[in-house]
């Protein structure tokens, strides 16, 4: 594991006890299906149906990258593969955005890929700067060149989705390619969800528009979830600063995608050769902390604190649960809907007066670390929930960790109408931060989900005054 990863350790937590929760395009083309050029001239209409593909390449912002797209279609064997190139390349704009059109109706899915050439530049979104192979450092907010080996991929539904191209979507496509059906919509959707789970991101986070981390004070509104995605992507570049083994972000991406393509997994704590999940999460936590010093907006600063906290907690989970050598993240994520009936027993968690499952000081589980990193002070409009996983089912049968698919937290301002839901697809997670709570009393409860799709009854509710 990298030195950065070694600096992350267990810290005391702010705990809310619960009843069952203890605690653009700059090219001009002459063909009829070409995109709008830099002059803004309208697209010529060839009379045939066209589907628009739009999005942005963010790691940081990638300017003048070459973007292409292919429809994904199934062959006679039912395997989804990329069809012939249906549109000429377009270049990304100064904000990383792109727009192109594919021949045919706006249905099905498309695979989108960005490649770099001598004109492509990327904004350095890593603090204090981006180290280069020649020994120079590019300042935060300035641009650096990318080698011809740099590429990003993403995929999406042509009807409903904007396709963002980031290191995380690149990993998701590599994971989906291992599926027996090829790059099918189901395989891609599952792969996106799996990568979100690896990095502790909210469901659907890879479909969010990643903000430009070098211009945060100029943003009108940005969510903590979108910030977390952007910072996780920035962490890939931050690793170049920390290890002479990696000369460029292309090297980092190649190592990670090779792991995923070969095994469907990524190393958890690292083996001294390959990069690990812990490396990325630790770098993301550090970048979240450093970014707080660059912004004037108190609102954005608070959200950066939340992102830092999430990454610290994710690292702690990794260090606690996956401390055995050669442990890796599997390429599975349970997305089965639970039935209305319940067979999981969640009564092994004490009531709200019992603090046996809470953490009140430094955690006692040891992790392979050497130094301490203080946890950030959380904003007042947040709540940290902590719980203990059940050990038995309702009928008394034992329940192992391998049988638990995850948890579901519900909350709201009316104890009889908990209409907000957060899903946790990782049985090893034992706490959750809920943020952006408005003033008032908030009520929380949870249930456990097993790998067969069963779910427990809701726990009793507890509350916190915001």
């Amino acid at each position: 594991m990298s030195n950065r990863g070694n600096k992350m350790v267990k810290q005391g937590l702010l705990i809310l006890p619960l009843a069952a929760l203890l605690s653009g395009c700059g090219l001009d083309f002459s063909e009829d299906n070409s995109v709008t050029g830099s002059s803004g001239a309208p697209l010529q209409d060839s009379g045939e149906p066209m589907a628009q593909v739009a999005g942005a390449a963010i790691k940081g912002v990638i300017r003048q990258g070459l973007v292409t797209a292919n429809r994904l279609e199934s062959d006679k064997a039912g395997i989804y593969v990329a069809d012939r190139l249906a549109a000429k390349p377009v270049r990304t704009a100064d904000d990383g955005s792109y727009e192109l059109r594919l021949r045919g109706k706006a249905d099905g899915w498309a695979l989108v890929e960005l490649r770099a050439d001598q004109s492509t530049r990327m904004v350095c979104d890593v603090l204090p700067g981006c180290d280069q192979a020649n020994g120079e450092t590019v300042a935060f907010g300035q641009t650096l060149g990318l080698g011809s080996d740099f590429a990003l991929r993403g995929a999406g539904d042509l009807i409903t989705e904007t396709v963002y191209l980031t290191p995380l979507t690149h990993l998701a496509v590599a994971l989906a390619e291992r599926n027996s059906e090829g790059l099918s919509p189901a395989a891609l959707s599952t792969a996106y969800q799996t990568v979100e789970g690896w990095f502790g991101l909210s469901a659907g986070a890879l479909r969010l528009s990643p903000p430009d981390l070098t211009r945060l004070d100029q943003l009108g509104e940005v969510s903590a979830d979108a910030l977390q995605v952007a910072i996780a992507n920035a962490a890939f570049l931050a690793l170049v600063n920390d290890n002479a083994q990696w000369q460029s972000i292309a090297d980092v991406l190649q190592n990670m995608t090779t792991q995923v393509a070969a095994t469907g997994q990524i190393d958890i704590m690292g083996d001294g050769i390959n990069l690990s999940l812990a490396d990325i999460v630790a770098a993301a936590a550090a970048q979240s902390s450093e970014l707080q010093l660059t912004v004037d907006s108190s609102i954005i600063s608070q959200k950066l604190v939340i992102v830092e906290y999430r990454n610290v907690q994710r690292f702690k989970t990794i260090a606690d649960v996956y401390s055995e050598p050669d442990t890796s993240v599997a390429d599975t994520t349970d997305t089965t809907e639970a039935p209305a009936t319940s067979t999981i027993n969640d009564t092994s968690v004490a009531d709200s007066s019992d603090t046996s499952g809470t953490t009140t000081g430094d955690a006692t589980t040891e992790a392979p670390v050497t130094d301490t990193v203080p946890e950030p002070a959380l904003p007042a409009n947040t709540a940290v929930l902590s719980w203990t996983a059940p050990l038995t089912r309702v009928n008394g049968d034992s329940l192992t960790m391998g049988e638990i698919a995850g948890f579901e937290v519900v909350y709201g301002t009316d104890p009889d109408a908990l209409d907000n839901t957060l899903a946790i697809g990782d049985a090893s997670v034992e706490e959750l931060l809920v943020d952006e709570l408005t003033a008032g009393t908030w009520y929380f409860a949870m249930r456990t989900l097993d790998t067969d799709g069963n779910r427990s009854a809701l726990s009793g509710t507890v509350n916190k005054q915001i």
Side-chain angles (χ1 to χ4, degrees):
M1 191 175 77
S2 72
N3 289 335
R4 183 181 293 277
N6 285 335
K7 294 181 181 179
M8 310 294 292
V9 297
K10 300 281 290 183
Q11 298 291 321
L13 301 178
L14 169 66
I15 299 297
L16 174 66
L18 299 184
L21 301 163
L22 283 190
S23 2
C25 304
L27 296 180
D28 290 303
F29 299 120
S30 59
E31 290 191 2
D32 288 344
N33 68 328
S34 62
V35 301
T36 302
S38 58
S39 64
L43 292 166
Q44 298 180 19
D45 186 2
S46 64
E48 63 179 315
M50 304 293 286
Q52 177 176 291
V53 184
I58 306 290
K59 204 307 357 96
V61 172
I62 298 175
R63 300 171 177 172
Q64 296 298 299
L66 288 165
V67 182
T68 59
N70 299 73
R71 286 183 181 273
L72 293 170
E73 299 182 352
S74 62
D75 59 19
K76 293 181 180 179
I79 299 175
Y80 281 78
V81 295
D83 195 9
R84 64 182 179 85
L85 187 65
K88 285 189 174 181
V90 298
R91 287 197 182 270
T92 54
D94 285 348
D95 62 356
S97 64
Y98 70 88
E99 181 180 327
L100 52 76
R101 292 192 178 187
L102 294 169
R103 290 189 180 95
K105 296 180 180 179
D107 57 12
W109 283 53
L111 175 68
V112 184
E113 181 175 20
L114 175 141
R115 288 198 170 272
D117 65 7
Q118 66 274 11
S119 299
T120 307
R121 308 288 294 178
M122 180 174 67
V123 177
C124 172
D125 59 351
V126 170
L127 288 166
C130 297
D131 293 347
Q132 302 294 285
N134 60 8
E136 297 181 357
T137 299
V138 175
F140 181 72
Q142 300 303 306
T143 64
L144 59 146
L146 293 169
S148 59
D149 56 346
F150 178 83
L152 291 177
R153 295 188 294 172
D157 189 328
L158 290 172
I159 299 176
T160 61
E161 294 178 358
T162 300
V163 181
Y164 295 103
L165 307 175
T166 70
L168 295 181
T169 66
H170 193 71
L171 291 183
V173 172
L175 179 59
E177 286 178 321
R178 291 175 47 83
N179 191 278
S180 60
E181 296 181 351
L183 292 175
S184 68
L188 284 163
S189 295
T190 299
Y192 268 59
Q193 293 166 3
T194 299
V195 172
E196 289 165 351
W198 287 351
F199 292 90
L201 302 171
S202 61
L206 296 190
R207 304 296 185 187
L208 298 175
S209 175
D212 181 353
L213 297 177
T214 67
R215 302 176 64 252
L216 291 180
D217 279 323
Q218 302 175 43
L219 301 178
E221 178 67 26
V222 61
S223 68
D225 289 340
L227 281 171
Q228 187 177 0
V229 173
I231 291 171
N233 287 312
F236 284 75
L237 183 56
L239 293 179
V240 178
N241 292 354
D242 293 339
N243 195 327
Q245 181 179 357
W246 316 112
Q247 300 299 307
S248 68
I249 186 174
D251 289 348
V252 172
L253 284 172
Q254 180 62 36
N255 180 269
M256 299 291 280
T257 54
T258 297
Q259 291 184 55
V260 171
T263 66
Q265 304 171 343
I266 54 177
D267 286 333
I268 288 291
M269 300 302 290
D271 55 8
I273 299 175
N274 291 309
L275 286 164
S276 70
L277 177 63
D279 293 329
I280 297 288
V281 174
Q287 286 298 306
S288 304
S289 177
E290 295 189 43
L291 281 167
Q292 294 166 39
L293 304 177
T294 71
V295 297
D296 296 325
S297 169
S298 60
I299 295 176
I300 292 179
S301 180
Q302 286 188 354
K303 291 180 179 180
L304 288 169
V305 170
I306 290 169
V307 174
E308 180 185 0
Y309 180 87
R310 290 176 179 176
N311 281 299
V312 170
Q313 298 309 306
R314 183 58 180 159
F315 184 91
K316 288 164 57 179
T317 299
I318 293 169
D320 288 350
V321 178
Y322 303 104
S323 59
E324 295 298 321
D326 301 323
T327 311
S328 54
V329 178
D331 59 343
T332 56
T333 298
D334 193 314
T335 58
T336 307
E337 292 186 7
T341 58
S342 167
T343 63
I344 302 178
N345 174 24
D346 63 358
T347 58
S348 62
V349 184
D351 61 28
S352 58
S353 62
D354 186 342
T355 60
S356 60
T358 64
T359 303
T360 57
D362 289 343
T364 58
T365 304
E366 294 184 359
V369 293
T370 57
D371 299 312
T372 62
V373 175
E375 275 190 5
L378 293 173
N381 63 340
T382 63
V384 177
L385 315 179
S386 179
W387 61 89
T388 300
L391 301 176
T392 58
R393 297 178 181 271
V394 170
N395 61 5
D397 291 346
S398 63
L399 180 66
T400 67
M401 288 294 290
E403 295 175 298
I404 298 177
F407 308 96
E408 182 181 66
V409 173
V410 294
Y411 63 102
T413 55
D414 183 345
D416 297 321
L418 303 177
D419 50 6
N420 298 284
T421 302
L422 293 172
I424 303 168
D426 187 341
S428 65
V429 173
E430 295 181 338
E431 61 186 25
L432 175 71
L433 182 143
V434 184
D435 61 348
E436 299 184 358
L437 300 174
T438 57
T441 302
W442 286 83
Y443 300 87
F444 303 85
M446 74 171 294
R447 58 167 53 94
T448 306
L449 313 177
D450 77 357
T451 54
D452 292 326
N454 301 309
R455 61 180 185 173
S456 70
L458 279 176
S459 68
T461 60
V462 294
N463 64 81
K464 180 179 181 180
Q465 183 72 33
I466 301 296

